Structure formats: structure tokens, C-alpha cells
Amino acid sequence: MTIILGVDPGSRITGYGVIRTEGRHMEYLDSGCIRMGEKPLAERLQIIYAGLAELIATFRPEEFAIEQVFLAKNADSALKLGQARGAAIVCAANAGLPVFEYSARQVKQAVVGKGAAEKSQVQHMVQALLKLSRKPQADAADALAIAVSHSNFRQSMLRLNVSRTVRRGRAS
């Protein structure tokens, strides 16, 4: 059984999603948003760090998955997003968590089946996959989708490692 914390970083709103996986079974634990408002950037980064540190202490995830930076039209926005990602990654690293990064396209492909999916499609599929009674807020849905994508990636890698071990005659 593995608990995964997925994060959709943002300099104003950072989404998070926590799931527990066992084999192919995924269970929703929590999701939401860390909202920073109009505070100075340094304070917003501290809020991201503190919020994620609290989630890590509460849920004790074994793995941390985060969305990669995408190229934005606005360089200032891209820099702030990178700094928000940095605060989140340092928080995970300080907690001793392995960090896995996925592009938005990879996440949409894994969850919806097409890399150019709309946010509403991601919300719908996350709701269906995790058997939620209602659609999660968009940033929380993105974070849950990142966690689900990581869970799927983990299962693929485990199957690949098992098949390699069996093929080589080294069943362990």
C-alpha cells in the first residue's frame, strides 16, 4: 500500500491530492487548494511550503508527484510558477520523499486518454476513477490526476520489472 501526494503548483493557488494505492486499486484520501492571495511572493512560497509540510505530516505519503513547468507566454508567470514548484519540491525533499515529475500532457494522456484534454474532462475522469460523489475543484482535480498518473506509472514499472525478472529466470 502506497500513499501518493500529487501537487499542481501555482503561485496563487496550489492544488493537492492524496490517494492510497494498492495494486491497481486507488482510494481517495483528500484534496484541496492552498490559496495564497495577493501576498508578496516570498510569503506565498512560505505558505506553499508550510501547507505541504502539514499535509505530509498528516498523511505520511511515501511518494510525491508534481507537474512540470510548462512554457508560458508570460516569462514573469513562468518564473513565479517555477519558484512555487521549487518550494514544493524542497518541502518533499526535506521530508525524504522521492519526487516524480510529469508534464501536463502526460497527465492528461494517462487520465483522459488524450494529451490535449480540457480541464472539465480531467475533472470528470478523476471523479469517475476515484469514485467521488462530485467533481473536485479544478486545481485539486489536476493534483489528483497527477497522483493517479503516478500510480499508473508505478504499476507499469512494477509490471515491467516483474516481467524482466521472470524472463531472466531470476524470480525473487
Side-chain angles (χ1 to χ4, degrees), residues 1-6 17-31 58-63 129-130 144 147-148 150-152 154-155:
M1 199 162 18
T2 302
I3 296 175
I4 300 167
L5 172 57
V18 186
I19 63 172
R20 180 181 3 243
T21 64
E22 187 167 1
R24 290 185 177 175
H25 176 74
M26 290 181 283
E27 176 186 1
Y28 170 87
L29 297 180
D30 193 28
S31 65
T58 300
F59 292 100
R60 302 179 191 264
E62 288 95 355
E63 296 178 1
L129 290 168
L130 296 174
L144 285 166
V148 167
H150 179 63
S151 175
N152 292 342
R154 285 178 88 257
Q155 288 305 307

XYZ file of all heavy atoms in Angstrom, residues 1-6 17-31 58-63 129-130 144 147-148 150-152 154-155:
299
model
N 0.847 -1.171 0.000
C 0.000 0.000 0.000
C 0.894 1.237 0.000
O 1.831 1.327 0.780
C -0.891 -0.037 1.239
C -2.057 0.832 1.128
S -3.421 0.510 2.275
C -2.758 -0.455 3.580
N 0.607 2.167 -0.890
C 1.417 3.370 -1.037
C 0.519 4.599 -1.021
O -0.510 4.629 -1.701
C 2.206 3.340 -2.365
O 3.017 2.162 -2.379
C 3.087 4.559 -2.523
N 0.925 5.608 -0.275
C 0.213 6.886 -0.269
C 1.013 7.855 -1.137
O 2.225 7.987 -0.979
C 0.029 7.430 1.160
C -0.859 6.476 1.965
C -0.580 8.841 1.120
C -1.027 6.840 3.416
N 0.306 8.493 -2.065
C 0.924 9.423 -3.020
C 0.308 10.801 -2.820
O -0.915 10.943 -2.765
C 0.684 8.966 -4.471
C 1.273 7.579 -4.706
C 1.252 9.983 -5.460
C 0.823 6.931 -6.002
N 1.173 11.811 -2.723
C 0.734 13.203 -2.679
C 1.015 13.812 -4.043
O 2.166 13.872 -4.479
C 1.499 13.975 -1.586
C 1.300 15.499 -1.543
C -0.172 15.880 -1.383
C 2.141 16.096 -0.417
N -0.037 14.214 -4.740
C 0.088 14.879 -6.034
C -0.080 16.375 -5.857
O -0.928 16.816 -5.072
N -3.612 16.629 -3.981
C -4.469 15.450 -3.963
C -3.715 14.306 -3.322
O -2.536 14.100 -3.619
N -4.377 13.600 -2.433
C -3.745 12.486 -1.727
C -4.554 11.222 -2.013
O -5.776 11.205 -1.802
C -3.692 12.736 -0.202
C -2.896 11.639 0.491
C -3.116 14.106 0.111
N -3.858 10.189 -2.502
C -4.509 8.910 -2.759
C -3.692 7.784 -2.133
O -2.485 7.935 -1.907
C -4.723 8.631 -4.268
C -3.380 8.521 -5.009
C -5.615 9.697 -4.894
C -3.502 8.050 -6.458
N -4.367 6.690 -1.874
C -3.695 5.464 -1.410
C -3.884 4.437 -2.510
O -4.984 4.286 -3.041
C -4.311 4.975 -0.110
C -3.663 3.715 0.422
C -4.260 3.160 1.710
N -5.394 3.842 2.249
C -5.415 4.446 3.440
N -4.359 4.461 4.199
N -6.509 5.030 3.868
N -2.800 3.762 -2.862
C -2.889 2.755 -3.913
C -2.423 1.404 -3.387
O -1.526 1.325 -2.550
C -2.016 3.125 -5.131
O -0.647 3.133 -4.740
C -2.387 4.478 -5.684
N -3.072 0.393 -3.882
C -2.653 -0.979 -3.620
C -2.934 -1.754 -4.896
O -4.092 -1.932 -5.278
C -3.402 -1.577 -2.437
C -2.866 -2.930 -2.034
C -3.378 -3.393 -0.675
O -4.162 -2.686 -0.033
O -2.974 -4.491 -0.289
N -1.869 -2.134 -5.577
C -2.052 -2.740 -6.888
C -2.712 -1.730 -7.799
O -2.299 -0.575 -7.867
N -3.754 -2.155 -8.467
C -4.473 -1.235 -9.363
C -5.578 -0.454 -8.662
O -6.190 0.430 -9.238
C -5.074 -2.021 -10.531
C -4.011 -2.531 -11.463
C -4.621 -3.185 -12.655
N -3.573 -3.608 -13.563
C -3.797 -4.286 -14.643
N -5.019 -4.627 -14.983
N -2.789 -4.639 -15.411
N -5.829 -0.796 -7.408
C -6.884 -0.122 -6.644
C -6.384 1.222 -6.124
O -5.319 1.308 -5.535
C -7.339 -1.008 -5.474
C -8.348 -0.343 -4.602
N -9.654 -0.160 -4.982
C -8.233 0.213 -3.369
C -10.307 0.466 -4.017
N -9.456 0.701 -3.032
N -7.175 2.273 -6.355
C -6.846 3.609 -5.863
C -7.968 4.080 -4.956
O -9.145 3.906 -5.273
C -6.695 4.594 -7.024
C -5.477 4.360 -7.875
S -5.339 5.550 -9.208
C -6.547 4.909 -10.364
N -7.584 4.692 -3.850
C -8.548 5.203 -2.881
C -8.275 6.685 -2.631
O -7.138 7.079 -2.339
C -8.407 4.413 -1.581
C -9.289 4.891 -0.461
C -9.010 4.159 0.847
O -8.114 3.287 0.881
O -9.676 4.492 1.828
N -9.303 7.486 -2.727
C -9.208 8.921 -2.454
C -9.060 9.136 -0.948
O -9.809 8.553 -0.154
C -10.481 9.610 -2.959
C -10.620 11.043 -2.537
C -10.050 12.057 -3.298
C -11.332 11.395 -1.390
C -10.191 13.389 -2.928
C -11.468 12.722 -1.014
C -10.897 13.707 -1.779
O -11.031 15.020 -1.406
N -8.094 9.971 -0.559
C -7.941 10.329 0.846
C -8.300 11.793 1.106
O -9.023 12.089 2.049
C -6.512 10.052 1.339
C -6.054 8.598 1.308
C -4.626 8.477 1.815
C -6.995 7.717 2.125
N -7.797 12.696 0.258
C -8.055 14.118 0.494
C -7.630 14.910 -0.741
O -6.818 14.439 -1.537
C -7.261 14.602 1.711
C -7.696 15.974 2.212
O -8.871 16.346 2.021
O -6.855 16.683 2.803
N -8.166 16.103 -0.865
C -7.733 17.027 -1.915
C -8.192 18.418 -1.537
O -9.055 18.597 -0.678
C -8.301 16.634 -3.285
O -9.710 16.755 -3.293
N 0.447 14.950 8.144
C -0.875 14.345 8.377
C -1.022 12.997 7.674
O -1.460 12.020 8.285
C -1.990 15.295 7.889
O -1.888 16.519 8.609
C -3.373 14.679 8.093
N -0.691 12.932 6.387
C -0.957 11.732 5.588
C 0.236 10.786 5.441
O 0.063 9.648 5.024
C -1.497 12.123 4.204
C -2.858 12.735 4.276
C -3.027 14.108 4.221
C -3.985 11.945 4.444
C -4.284 14.677 4.314
C -5.253 12.500 4.537
C -5.399 13.882 4.475
N 1.437 11.268 5.715
C 2.663 10.472 5.627
C 2.799 9.744 4.282
O 2.901 8.513 4.229
C 2.749 9.482 6.773
C 2.716 10.149 8.126
C 2.774 9.129 9.248
N 2.485 9.728 10.513
C 3.394 10.163 11.371
N 4.649 10.066 11.083
N 3.019 10.697 12.518
N 2.768 10.516 3.180
C 2.913 9.871 1.869
C 4.302 9.267 1.708
O 5.266 9.714 2.338
C 2.704 11.027 0.882
C 3.107 12.247 1.652
C 2.703 11.973 3.078
N 4.377 8.236 0.876
C 5.673 7.625 0.559
C 6.266 8.209 -0.714
O 7.456 8.074 -0.952
C 5.529 6.107 0.383
C 5.290 5.356 1.664
C 3.816 5.095 1.951
O 2.940 5.564 1.213
O 3.547 4.411 2.940
N 5.403 8.820 -1.553
C 5.874 9.363 -2.824
C 5.187 10.690 -3.113
O 4.060 10.925 -2.670
C 5.641 8.358 -3.949
C 6.461 7.096 -3.730
C 6.252 6.022 -4.773
O 5.468 6.228 -5.717
O 6.895 4.966 -4.640
N -12.691 7.830 -11.772
C -11.647 6.896 -11.362
C -11.567 6.718 -9.851
O -11.306 5.617 -9.362
C -10.279 7.368 -11.886
C -10.067 7.259 -13.387
C -8.811 8.023 -13.807
C -9.980 5.802 -13.816
N -11.802 7.814 -9.119
C -11.701 7.747 -7.660
C -13.058 7.596 -6.984
O -13.147 7.627 -5.753
C -10.965 8.989 -7.131
C -9.508 9.105 -7.584
C -8.912 10.438 -7.137
C -8.684 7.935 -7.073
N -4.995 15.609 -8.152
C -5.405 14.201 -8.061
C -5.025 13.457 -9.338
O -4.585 12.309 -9.287
C -6.909 14.092 -7.805
C -7.360 14.431 -6.385
C -8.876 14.620 -6.332
C -6.903 13.360 -5.394
N -1.456 12.531 -9.158
C -1.273 11.366 -8.274
C -1.724 10.082 -8.967
O -1.041 9.053 -8.891
C -2.037 11.571 -6.967
N -2.850 10.123 -9.662
C -3.355 8.956 -10.394
C -2.368 8.560 -11.494
O -2.064 7.375 -11.687
C -4.761 9.233 -10.973
C -5.172 8.183 -11.999
C -5.793 9.322 -9.846
N 0.815 9.085 -11.554
C 1.980 8.472 -10.919
C 1.673 7.041 -10.493
O 2.496 6.145 -10.676
C 2.470 9.296 -9.732
C 3.638 8.670 -9.063
N 4.848 8.473 -9.707
C 3.776 8.137 -7.818
C 5.684 7.864 -8.873
N 5.055 7.647 -7.734
N 0.492 6.823 -9.962
C 0.094 5.465 -9.570
C 0.118 4.534 -10.779
O 0.639 3.412 -10.695
C -1.309 5.482 -8.950
O -1.737 4.176 -8.672
N -0.424 4.994 -11.897
C -0.419 4.189 -13.128
C 1.003 3.925 -13.607
O 1.331 2.815 -14.028
C -1.222 4.883 -14.229
C -2.705 4.918 -13.925
O -3.210 4.180 -13.099
N -3.400 5.826 -14.584
N 3.714 3.855 -11.740
C 4.309 2.896 -10.791
C 3.914 1.468 -11.155
O 4.742 0.568 -11.147
C 3.811 3.166 -9.368
C 4.386 4.324 -8.673
C 3.764 4.490 -7.276
N 4.523 3.699 -6.322
C 4.150 2.527 -5.826
N 3.011 1.983 -6.177
N 4.895 1.885 -4.966
N 2.624 1.263 -11.438
C 2.144 -0.078 -11.764
C 2.796 -0.589 -13.047
O 3.176 -1.758 -13.131
C 0.615 -0.096 -11.893
C -0.101 0.031 -10.570
C 0.345 -1.040 -9.599
O 0.326 -2.227 -9.897
N 0.772 -0.617 -8.422
